[in-house]
């Protein structure tokens, strides 16, 4: 009390204002409720932060159909129910982690899980949980704000890992934490490779990447940046030259600027909504 009494009134007011202010986050992160559920053998994460994306001017024209395939497959309503999606891949299974709010329940084995309209789906019990769907695609609710989606085999492995308290690999969430807070959509990988069907018209590239971090910020436009690490500065320069040559062969030239910074290859530019959908489609 003596300390407070000795402070000037203005100082007390300043302290009160500082205490009441919330610090604006400067970096992205995987939601703490989802991070422990990342499969330990996953090598890549792709995230969509709907809590931020819904505030973007492009949401009305882009957001409603950005997850149209997932909505049709899962029976969910991303615009109303979901805050964050994290796709985990590169390991034995692909798995989608979901953070949201399901107002009509979602407590595991309580009989209150939301009813999902999954074509051909049924209820599949497993160790106190109920899967909604089919063997090739199902959803399981851990509670009223966390759910998983993927093949039933992937969901069983996730539950077994959770029950056995097997810790997830910390490397991928750490990589996400290095991204800017404005990363509405991101991908990080410790073993990057192109999907089997290619990406943006590219089926293969004549170089190998050691790691990758890419993100897009969506406001009035879709701006992206990708940073790839290669074994050496020389290999980064060679990769940039090869990529420029490959991009020049595409019928529709993408908006991309390529630069190198030591062993790092940086690509940045703007995407159209169609190009963004194509880039995300292989993660679903």
């Amino acid at each position: 009390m003596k300390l407070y009494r000795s402070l000037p009134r203005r100082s007390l007011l300043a302290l009160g204002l500082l205490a009441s202010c919330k610090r604006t986050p400067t970096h992205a992160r995987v939601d703490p409720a989802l991070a422990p559920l990342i499969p330990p053998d996953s090598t890549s994460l792709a995230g969509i932060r709907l809590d931020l994306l819904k505030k973007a001017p492009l949401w009305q024209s882009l957001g409603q159909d950005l997850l149209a395939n997932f909505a049709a497959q899962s029976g969910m309503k991303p615009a109303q129910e979901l805050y964050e999606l994290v796709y985990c891949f590169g390991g034995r299974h692909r798995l989608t982690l979901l953070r949201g709010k399901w107002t009509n329940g979602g407590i595991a084995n309580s009989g209150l899980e939301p009813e999902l309209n999954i074509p051909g789906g049924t209820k599949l019990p497993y160790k106190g949980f109920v899967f909604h769907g089919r063997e090739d695609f199902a959803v399981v609710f851990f509670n009223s704000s966390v759910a998983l989606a993927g093949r039933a085999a992937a969901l069983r492995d996730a539950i077994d890992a959770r029950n056995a308290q097997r810790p997830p690999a910390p490397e991928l969430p750490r990589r996400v934490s290095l991204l800017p807070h404005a990363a509405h959509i991101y991908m990080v990988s410790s073993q990057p490779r192109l999907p089997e069907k290619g990406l943006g018209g590219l089926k293969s590239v004549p170089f190998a990447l050691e790691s990758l971090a890419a993100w897009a910020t969506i406001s009035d436009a879709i701006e992206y940046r990708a940073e790839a690490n290669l074994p050496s500065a020389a290999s980064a320069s060679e990769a940039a030259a090869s990529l420029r040559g490959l991009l020049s062969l595409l019928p529709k030239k993408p908006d991309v600027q390529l630069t190198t910074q030591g062993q790092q290859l940086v690509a940045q530019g703007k995407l159209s909504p169609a190009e963004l959908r194509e880039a995300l489609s292989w993660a679903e």
Side-chain angles (χ1 to χ4, degrees):
M1 288 297 295
K2 291 181 179 180
L3 174 62
Y4 285 117
R5 287 174 181 170
S6 65
L7 288 173
R9 185 171 297 178
R10 288 182 179 178
S11 298
L12 288 174
L13 179 59
L15 288 173
L17 289 173
L18 287 173
S20 63
C21 290
K22 293 183 178 179
R23 289 185 9 177
T24 302
T26 57
H27 293 87
R29 67 170 185 174
V30 177
D31 190 286
L34 300 182
L37 300 174
I38 297 171
D41 63 345
S42 292
T43 61
S44 303
L45 299 181
I48 302 179
R49 302 173 65 201
L50 288 170
D51 57 337
L52 298 180
L53 187 55
K54 291 174 185 177
K55 301 174 184 177
L58 275 178
W59 168 252
Q60 294 301 324
S61 59
L62 173 66
Q64 298 298 327
D65 61 350
L66 186 63
L67 294 169
N69 289 339
F70 177 79
Q73 188 179 37
S74 67
M76 290 186 181
K77 301 173 182 176
Q80 291 81 32
E81 297 176 334
L82 298 182
Y83 305 146
E84 183 172 346
L85 291 85
V86 179
Y87 299 102
C88 311
F89 50 101
R92 181 183 177 190
H93 298 294
R94 285 190 174 196
L95 188 66
T96 303
L97 314 180
L98 308 170
R99 181 73 152 144
K101 184 176 182 180
W102 293 277
T103 57
N104 59 333
I107 307 301
N109 201 33
S110 68
L112 297 176
E113 292 90 345
E115 292 293 333
L116 301 178
N117 185 22
I118 298 176
T122 186
K123 293 185 178 181
L124 308 170
Y126 184 72
K127 295 186 177 180
F129 292 86
V130 177
F131 300 172
H132 301 255
R134 311 175 305 272
E135 282 293 325
D136 63 323
F137 180 83
V139 174
V140 62
F141 293 92
F142 275 14
N143 52 51
S144 60
S145 64
V146 174
L148 309 182
R151 290 183 175 273
L155 303 186
R156 293 186 186 102
D157 276 8
I159 289 172
D160 290 344
R162 179 176 181 268
N163 290 345
Q165 297 184 340
R166 294 200 295 268
E171 179 59 20
L172 293 177
R174 185 192 71 81
R175 291 176 185 269
V176 174
S177 71
L178 299 176
L179 304 181
H181 179 70
H184 294 140
I185 298 173
Y186 66 81
M187 191 187 86
V188 296
S189 179
S190 58
Q191 297 179 30
R193 61 180 184 271
L194 285 177
E196 293 181 4
K197 58 185 178 182
L199 184 61
L202 295 176
K203 301 298 182 182
S204 64
V205 290
F207 50 83
L209 306 180
E210 292 187 335
S211 64
L212 175 70
W215 66 94
T217 298
I218 301 174
S219 55
D220 295 318
I222 305 170
E223 299 182 1
Y224 71 90
R225 181 181 174 92
E227 300 174 351
N229 288 316
L230 289 96
S232 66
S235 59
S237 297
E238 292 171 1
S242 297
L243 195 52
R244 289 189 186 99
L246 289 170
L247 293 172
S248 69
L249 300 176
L250 296 178
K252 182 180 179 182
K253 304 300 186 289
D255 179 0
V256 57
Q257 300 174 13
L258 295 173
T259 58
T260 58
Q261 301 173 3
Q263 296 175 228
Q264 189 177 74
L265 172 61
V266 178
Q268 56 188 350
K270 294 183 179 181
L271 292 170
S272 68
E275 289 170 331
L276 178 61
R277 292 186 194 98
E278 184 178 2
L280 288 174
S281 64
W282 62 277
E284 293 191 18

